[in-house]
Amino acid sequence: MAQSAQQFQYANVAPKIKQQPRRRVQPRPQKVRFAPVAWRQDVRHLVSAIVIIAMFAMGSVWITNQTTAFNEQAQIKSAQLDKLRNANNDAKEQISALTTQDRLNDIAQKAGMTLQNQNIKNVK
């Protein structure tokens, strides 16, 4: 009786709606904007190789320019060093010329000094 009451209750509230048979929906074919081309990978590899070669070329030119600049700076420093060495050698020659024994004796005689060999001692 409870079962019939439920059926009665549902039957009064809303009439049953018949379901329409479902249509079979065919999937739409996917659109491909660009069809894959067999040579596309080859073009990518070729462009990559060209870019890498260009980068190596620019790098080698840059390194060559830097090497040239460093060599020029080294030549300038070497020339400056040679000038300083020549100036030092000239100064050494002047010192040796001014400190000869004969010249020192002449200067001492002009100043009124005399050389006494008994007062000279060699110190080692």
Side-chain angles (χ1 to χ4, degrees):
M1 186 155 147
Q3 290 175 351
S4 63
Q6 286 178 353
Q7 289 176 358
F8 179 73
Q9 197 174 35
Y10 287 126
N12 289 336
V13 175
K16 284 189 176 181
I17 300 174
K18 292 183 180 178
Q19 286 186 341
Q20 296 178 355
R22 292 188 181 192
R23 294 185 207 166
R24 289 189 181 180
V25 178
Q26 294 181 352
R28 294 182 182 172
Q30 293 180 349
K31 292 183 180 179
V32 178
R33 290 187 180 188
F34 298 105
V37 181
W39 48 268
R40 178 174 278 174
Q41 287 292 78
D42 294 338
V43 170
R44 286 182 187 164
H45 292 296
L46 182 64
V47 169
S48 298
I50 289 172
V51 168
I52 290 171
I53 290 171
M55 289 175 60
F56 277 121
M58 287 188 294
S60 66
V61 168
W62 181 78
I63 288 172
T64 303
N65 289 340
Q66 292 297 320
T67 304
T68 304
F70 287 136
N71 286 340
E72 288 173 0
Q73 289 177 358
Q75 288 175 353
I76 291 170
K77 295 296 181 186
S78 177
Q80 290 174 350
L81 183 63
D82 288 341
K83 286 180 184 179
L84 285 175
R85 282 184 181 158
N86 290 339
N88 283 344
N89 288 336
D90 292 344
K92 285 179 185 178
E93 288 176 8
Q94 286 178 351
I95 290 171
S96 63
L98 293 174
T99 58
T100 60
Q101 189 67 34
D102 293 336
R103 185 171 185 280
L104 292 177
N105 285 339
D106 289 341
I107 293 173
Q109 285 177 356
K110 287 179 184 176
M113 299 179 176
T114 59
L115 180 64
Q116 296 175 357
N117 285 337
Q118 65 266 15
N119 292 338
I120 299 175
K121 293 182 183 179
N122 288 337
V123 179
K124 290 185 180 181

